[in-house]
Amino acid sequence: MLYSETGQFSTHYAADRRLFRLRQDRLGLGLLLAFAFAAVPQIGNDYWFSAILIPFLVLSLAGLGLNLLTGYAGQLSLGSAAFMAAGAFAAYNFLLRIEGLPLLAGLALGGLVAALLSVAFGLPSLRIKGFYLIVSTLAAQFLLPWALVKFGWFSNYNASGVIGAPPLEVCGLDLASPAGRYVLTLGIVVALAFLARNIVHSELGRNWMAVRDMDTAAAVIGIPLAKTKLLAFAISGFYLGVAGALWAFTYLGTVEPHGFDLTRSFQVLFIIIIGGMGSILGNFLGAAFIVLFPLLLSNLAGLVPGGLIDPGQLENIQKMIFGALIVVFLIREPEGLARLWQHFRARVRRWPLRY
């Protein structure tokens, strides 16, 4: 206790605890990723890969794209599905028309096209914000799918406007199996999630949060508002474009423009509301909730005695419960599941001590 009078003991103790917690977090994340990459492909079955894990990962990436724009930069958008469609169709055309183009390069180019379109529809953010910006981005949700249907070139003149997945090969490895598609999706999502983490902790991320909190004050201290906002739209569009391509190629295998409708945009929005805006982890928690909650309700409905619930009304009941839960989250825990996870982790770390 010799150092307690000067405060050095408590300072060193707090620093050691922070370092220990950081090492704990990194170790836990490393073990989780090792399990996801090495163990899950061995123990999982086709249903888990195709119906649960792949859509969970793709929706997590889509939520991350919107969260960078809305949760960190404070720019509202309802055009997420449109940019997902742009990325999917652009990647399809790049891989179709450029012979020998690697799959990952095609996905990246599709993301770049979505980023450019996102910047184009984000230009009004330099003049307007709030509800008016939502209306502006909502225009993308109607214009882009219409263009994909109107001009047959985008779907290689398919009569129904449907595109199919290209050969899923990376470095000569065939990843067309459910386990292979899961590994491909997982690798891309993990890489982009780490990239997003580095971005939000960089100077650009701090500029985003300054603009989100008070754009007038951010401009006064020298932050370039136009550049900061448009970069947010561009990076968000890139993430959404890659997510759209993965949704079409690794999850569905085939998709049409109407598969990226307004309902999909609301689904991505609900992910960041439930998971927590301004949180990387929240996107994964929100996507897990979106994917697993309907399955849970379906299983619970199967336990109810026959005749009490009309099977035709089960989907409507699910939507009602889901909507009510969103309202509860907005009122009781506006920072979403990520904040609840932080509270739980803090309690576990203090147990059995309470101080």
Side-chain angles (χ1 to χ4, degrees), residues 67-199:
N67 216 337
L68 291 175
L69 178 67
T70 302
Y72 286 97
Q75 307 303 301
L76 305 179
S77 174
L78 266 182
S80 303
F83 304 125
M84 292 176 68
F89 277 77
Y92 167 79
N93 279 280
F94 279 119
L95 292 168
L96 176 69
R97 304 180 193 283
I98 302 178
E99 185 177 356
L101 182 68
L103 175 63
L104 296 180
L107 296 176
L109 290 172
L112 289 176
V113 171
L116 293 175
L117 291 171
S118 181
V119 169
F121 283 96
L123 285 173
S125 67
L126 305 181
R127 295 286 184 178
I128 59 178
K129 55 185 177 180
F131 172 78
Y132 300 101
L133 182 57
I134 289 179
V135 174
S136 174
T137 56
L138 188 60
Q141 191 58 61
F142 296 100
L143 180 59
L144 293 181
W146 171 84
L148 294 175
V149 173
K150 179 68 174 178
F151 302 102
W153 183 88
F154 292 112
S155 59
N156 199 28
Y157 299 100
N158 186 297
S160 58
V162 175
I163 61 173
L168 300 179
E169 295 182 359
V170 177
C171 299
L173 297 176
D174 185 6
L175 301 175
S177 66
R181 290 185 282 113
Y182 160 75
V183 172
L184 172 63
T185 307
L186 177 64
I188 294 173
V189 171
V190 169
L192 291 179
F194 275 107
L195 176 61
R197 182 183 179 277
N198 290 333
I199 291 174

Side-chain angles (χ1 to χ4, degrees), residues 4 11 30 41 64 66 82 85 98 105 127 138 140 148 156 164 201 218 227 232 240 263 277-278 298 342-343:
S4 61
T11 301
L64 178 56
L66 181 60
I98 302 178
R127 295 286 184 178
L138 188 60
L148 294 175
N156 199 28
H201 286 90
K227 178 182 177 181
L240 289 167
T263 302
M277 288 190 283
S298 298
Q342 290 176 359
H343 290 329

